[in-house]
Amino acid sequence: MIDVYGDPGTPDCRGGWWYLWWLVRRQPGRALAGAVLASVWMVLLAAAPYLLSKAVDEGLEAGDPAALAGWTAALVVVGAANAWVSIMRHRTMTRLRMDANFRTVKVVVGQVVRLGAALPRRVGAGEVVTVGVGDVQTIAGSLTVIGPGVGSVVVYVVVAGLLLAVSPLLAAVVLLGMPVVAVLVGPLMARLQGVEGEYRERQGVLTARIGDLAGGLRVLNGLGGKGLFADAFRRDSRRLRDQGYRVGAVTSWMQALGTGLPTVFLAVVTWLAARLAARGDLTVGELVSVYGYVAVLVGPVAFLVDMGYQLSRGVVAARRVVRLLRLEPDPDTGTAPAPAGPAVLYDPASGVRVVPGRLTALVGARPADTAGVVDRLGRYAPSDVTWGSVRLDAVPLARVRERILVADNEADLFAGPLREVVGGGRVHTDAAVGRAVRAAAAEDVVRGLPEGLDSPVAAQGRSLSGGQRQRVRLVRALLADAEVLLAVEPTSALDAHTEAAVAARLRAARDGRTTVVTSTSPLLLDHADTVLYLVDGKVAASGRHRVLRETEPGYRALVARDAGETEDAEDAGDAGDAAQFGHTGPGGEGEAAGPGDVEEAVT
């Protein structure tokens, strides 16, 4: 079995068939053992009719009890040995299937990690989910046919040879059966690949739509668009169902042939053998053996048809995996040295200039405009951004990632203890974690978990509320302690009191460091050193929040809230820190701890 931490190898991405062949070549011993064991298993199945015919002719008909007992004993021994061979065959093929499964998972996960930020721009989320959930299993299952497939061919030849010794006519009928199977099943295999491929494509699109709906259901409901998207989802579901019917029609024909063709063979060969026995050309024992041979062939012929079905589906799934593996990450041709110290980040496309050591806020009517600026400043999108005196894309990407961190408010959260979730793969002291927890006003999140920081958190933070997830993401970003922090809507899911606390504490926690936030919240904007107001993606005005609120009508209309919230923001700003508050808002926030409670919550 593949080592969990081992190198899965370099996959062959020339096509679906090449990828399947690569999986076989990665475990040649197991594949060969499976083929040999399956061949022995099926040949021993064919040996049973031969031994039975000998027992009839030399024991029963000849009236020889000793010969009858001998051939019967041989039949029992062969049956027992074949049972053991069957167990070993099944065990070997299971290991081969699991190895192919894990190996494909490793190469897919490795490719996803390698693509990094380029993945969402190259592949839809639904495509990745479909590959990981369905295609990997289909590929692994298709390799299971290696053993029975090879064994079926071997036993087909062996049975044909045995029948040749009994009757050339019967052997000819059996040998002609294989071309008949190929002629009938071949077109269906090609048809299945086509309809299966289209079904997988539609499945990926629908899976992506499910993810979009799940992520934005509350927003859609608030905008009154839930019904519209539900209708679109219903139409896509209907199309997928209809395509599934087409796949099922082809599949049913292949399965019907897998069951029907062996039955036809059995009937034809048995009828011919009975005619030959009636004329005296066959003995009773030979008639029994012929019937047994043909009965044995029912399995191999069905296996061959099923092999075509499984391989057709496996090739379709492998093509999707190969398409993902062929993608290349964004080229990193940077060779210029990064600035020796903090330097100005400048985006010519928007006119945004980020001064080192200051808290800068980006405000725009369209969230996509401010998010686009952050993507360019963080080098997640092509741009002409400069970092000091050098172009950002001229600096090696690894150096950029070390010093500039983009903290998205919808960034993924992995499953595990909360300490590891916020640690980002690094070990931090309790004091450092406590400072980050307090800066993100997340003391109540830690205190509300049964084991504090050691409590397990579900993947994507599903065990937490929306506001709690956002603050956990902020804790992780603050613990990274990047030279430049670019935070996208870090308080959008928080209630006003929690947001005021985060705004005040974030400024203190990042004092002297370069921080950029995107927001339209006056609670957060009031603490910014500089606010950049964007119109149509370009800076239209800059200054302090209160100045812009008085001088820019468009800005004032954008950031205006009800009088109560504005008063809260001003009170929080005057106080300098909203450390003590007792409010439970829509994000699930509870009563925050005071400074003396932080160590208790963390430890």
Side-chain angles (χ1 to χ4, degrees), residues 71-142:
W71 288 113
T72 301
L75 191 61
V76 172
V77 170
V78 167
N82 209 20
W84 179 84
V85 171
S86 177
I87 293 172
M88 298 306 297
R89 173 196 64 83
H90 187 273
R91 180 179 300 178
T92 302
M93 298 313 300
T94 299
R95 290 177 175 175
L96 185 142
R97 182 180 69 251
M98 297 305 297
D99 185 283
N101 188 313
F102 294 146
R103 196 176 299 275
T104 300
V105 167
K106 290 196 69 173
V107 297
V108 168
V109 171
Q111 173 70 350
V112 168
V113 173
R114 190 170 77 96
L115 289 173
L119 178 66
R121 299 195 300 271
R122 307 287 187 83
V123 185
E127 177 77 2
V128 177
V129 171
T130 303
V131 168
V133 175
D135 292 332
V136 171
Q137 297 290 339
T138 302
I139 290 171
S142 68

Side-chain angles (χ1 to χ4, degrees), residues 56-259:
V56 171
D57 287 341
E58 299 181 9
L60 288 177
E61 290 225 354
D64 187 348
L68 179 61
W71 288 113
T72 301
L75 191 61
V76 172
V77 170
V78 167
N82 209 20
W84 179 84
V85 171
S86 177
I87 293 172
M88 298 306 297
R89 173 196 64 83
H90 187 273
R91 180 179 300 178
T92 302
M93 298 313 300
T94 299
R95 290 177 175 175
L96 185 142
R97 182 180 69 251
M98 297 305 297
D99 185 283
N101 188 313
F102 294 146
R103 196 176 299 275
T104 300
V105 167
K106 290 196 69 173
V107 297
V108 168
V109 171
Q111 173 70 350
V112 168
V113 173
R114 190 170 77 96
L115 289 173
L119 178 66
R121 299 195 300 271
R122 307 287 187 83
V123 185
E127 177 77 2
V128 177
V129 171
T130 303
V131 168
V133 175
D135 292 332
V136 171
Q137 297 290 339
T138 302
I139 290 171
S142 68
L143 295 187
T144 308
V145 304
I146 292 175
V150 174
S152 298
V153 174
V154 171
V155 75
Y156 200 86
V157 174
V158 169
V159 169
L162 293 173
L163 285 175
L164 185 63
V166 175
S167 169
L169 176 61
L170 297 177
V173 172
V174 171
L175 288 174
L176 289 175
M178 190 61 69
V180 172
V181 172
V183 169
L184 293 177
V185 176
L188 289 175
M189 289 178 58
R191 173 64 177 165
L192 179 63
Q193 291 186 28
V195 295
E196 182 82 15
E198 185 176 349
Y199 178 81
R200 290 290 187 179
E201 295 293 337
R202 292 183 182 273
Q203 189 179 39
V205 171
L206 194 62
T207 303
R209 181 156 294 180
I210 291 173
D212 294 340
L213 284 172
L217 188 59
R218 293 172 64 184
V219 176
L220 289 173
N221 195 32
L223 296 174
K226 186 169 65 173
L228 180 63
F229 275 81
D231 292 339
F233 182 79
R234 189 177 296 110
R235 287 194 299 271
D236 289 342
S237 299
R238 189 179 299 113
R239 295 190 188 101
L240 181 64
R241 181 197 62 193
D242 294 340
Q243 185 64 23
Y245 288 156
R246 285 189 281 273
V247 174
V250 180
T251 301
S252 63
W253 272 106
M254 294 192 68
Q255 292 177 344
L257 290 175
T259 303

Side-chain angles (χ1 to χ4, degrees), residues 297-318:
L297 283 181
V298 170
V301 173
F303 273 132
L304 289 173
V305 176
D306 183 66
M307 180 174 66
Y309 168 68
Q310 296 291 349
L311 287 178
S312 296
R313 299 183 70 241
V315 168
V316 172

Side-chain angles (χ1 to χ4, degrees), residues 330-336 379 392-397:
D330 295 333
D332 181 17
T333 58
T335 57
R379 197 175 158 184
L392 186 63
D393 56 11
V395 179
L397 185 60

Side-chain angles (χ1 to χ4, degrees), residues 488-503:
V488 178
E489 299 287 349
T491 62
S492 60
L494 306 183
D495 64 85
H497 290 273
T498 310
E499 189 175 20
V502 172

